[in-house]
Amino acid sequence: MQSVLNALRVLEEVSARQPIGVAELARALDLPKSSAQRALRTLHTAGWIRPAGGEVTRWALTTKALQVGRRATGELGLRDVAVPLMEELRRRIDETVHLTVPNGDKVVLIERLETSKPVRIILALGTHLPIHASANGKAVLASSPTEVIERHLADGLEEFTDSTITERDRLLDELTLIRERGYATNSGEWRTDVSAVAAPVLDGAGLPIASISVNMPTSRMTSEAREAHGALVSETARQVSAALGHSGQDGAGGPGGGAARHIGGGSAARTDGSARSDGIRRSS
């Protein structure tokens, strides 16, 4: 019985202090270090905690806690699930992380976690991004139903910069690549100074309800950064999707699967004004 109680106390402390190491955990709970270590091993084996940032000496919660909490309290909001995982993503790469939701022919920025770097991307909450010329938008589009894709194509593809994809076949090829790769990219297609990688968040039916992106000045988006950050944002979106009830079994692309049969009209979440981008900010 005592070992069960220790494991539950350790789980609560990891939740409150993550990421946390065994020595700090033992001090906080006034436990022998060996007892804290045994509890951590048990929780890891059961899938409740994971090494934080790949470091086996520090621990953080998995999405299993979110899933159990969701069953106990009813449906968690998108932000409740996404923000802790977005925080972990930002901590690992120190770049700005965005959460957007579909809204007609655009996606709307509803959450922003900023980098500590002095040169950064600043977009106001409530900013509307074009669905065909932003990483967030293309991530949603690639996971949406064919009829939704066709509707967007029929409306025409507005050109924002010289890099914007405005041809139907080129965009369809791009959406196929996104599904195969698991994430979308934007290399100055909406604003020449803004680049990003993004992946869709899918609901239980496999439809896109949001997208998560890593954003930075175009000058900092090297091919190596694009590939590395794309893999990380795809994994984060998969974790959020799983916590929201997506099984990951439908289709071949996206976070656990989205197929070409999906695009999302989706419903708009709350927006905080209609401000446009403030662009790149250089802070002293």
Side-chain angles (χ1 to χ4, degrees):
M1 176 64 73
Q2 189 59 49
S3 61
V4 174
L5 292 175
N6 285 344
L8 291 173
R9 291 177 64 205
V10 165
L11 180 64
E12 291 175 348
E13 197 67 21
V14 171
S15 173
R17 295 170 175 258
Q18 62 181 325
I20 187 172
V22 62
E24 183 183 357
L25 192 61
R27 286 194 301 271
L29 295 175
D30 194 23
L31 284 174
K33 191 173 178 180
S34 58
S35 297
Q37 187 67 60
R38 279 196 298 273
L40 287 169
R41 283 199 299 267
T42 298
L43 291 168
H44 184 223
T45 300
W48 286 91
I49 62 174
R50 58 180 174 78
E55 302 176 23
V56 293
T57 57
R58 295 176 70 78
W59 298 90
L61 294 184
T62 67
T63 57
K64 187 170 186 177
L66 292 171
Q67 294 167 0
V68 170
R70 178 170 170 257
R71 296 187 190 106
T73 62
E75 197 73 22
L76 280 174
L78 174 62
R79 279 188 180 86
D80 297 320
V81 174
V83 170
L85 293 165
M86 290 166 59
E87 288 277 12
E88 172 67 9
L89 176 61
R90 179 182 61 173
R91 188 192 68 79
R92 293 178 68 180
I93 63 177
D94 194 19
E95 294 290 357
T96 299
V97 179
H98 287 167
L99 176 66
T100 74
V101 294
N103 183 17
D105 63 348
K106 300 181 185 298
V107 292
V108 184
L109 178 62
I110 64 168
E111 195 62 71
R112 178 187 69 235
L113 304 179
E114 290 188 7
T115 176
S116 66
K117 296 174 181 176
V119 181
R120 66 187 75 174
I121 298 300
I122 302 294
L123 299 183
L125 294 181
T127 296
H128 288 65
L129 305 174
I131 203 163
H132 71 286
S134 64
N136 286 99
K138 288 190 290 182
V140 167
L141 199 59
S143 300
S144 298
T146 301
E147 60 270 20
V148 180
I149 296 176
E150 290 296 336
R151 185 173 70 245
H152 283 289
L153 290 170
D155 291 339
L157 303 173
E158 182 180 354
E159 182 176 356
F160 296 94
T161 74
D162 291 342
S163 299
T164 306
I165 298 176
T166 58
E167 298 83 19
R168 171 191 173 90
D169 289 346
R170 277 192 62 202
L171 182 59
L172 289 174
D173 288 345
E174 177 82 357
L175 298 181
T176 298
L177 178 60
I178 291 167
R179 288 188 288 270
E180 293 172 350
R181 186 174 51 200
Y183 62 89
T185 64
N186 167 29
S187 300
E189 295 166 42
W190 173 56
R191 289 272 307 270
T192 57
D193 54 351
V194 176
S195 289
V197 292
V201 174
L202 307 181
D203 66 9
L207 294 171
I209 57 172
S211 58
I212 297 172
S213 63
V214 174
N215 311 267
M216 65 187 71
T218 297
S219 60
R220 206 152 66 223
M221 184 65 86
T222 63
S223 57
E224 292 80 7
R226 185 178 297 109
E227 183 175 349
H229 296 341
L232 289 172
V233 79
S234 182
E235 175 58 26
T236 299
R238 272 194 292 269
Q239 292 175 339
V240 175
S241 299
L244 291 172
H246 179 60
S247 67
Q249 299 303 310
D250 59 305
R261 51 190 180 80
H262 300 313
I263 273 195
S267 59
R270 175 189 63 83
T271 60
D272 300 299
S274 57
R276 291 287 295 173
S277 164
D278 293 322
I280 292 182
R281 176 174 298 172
R282 292 170 172 80
S283 55
S284 55

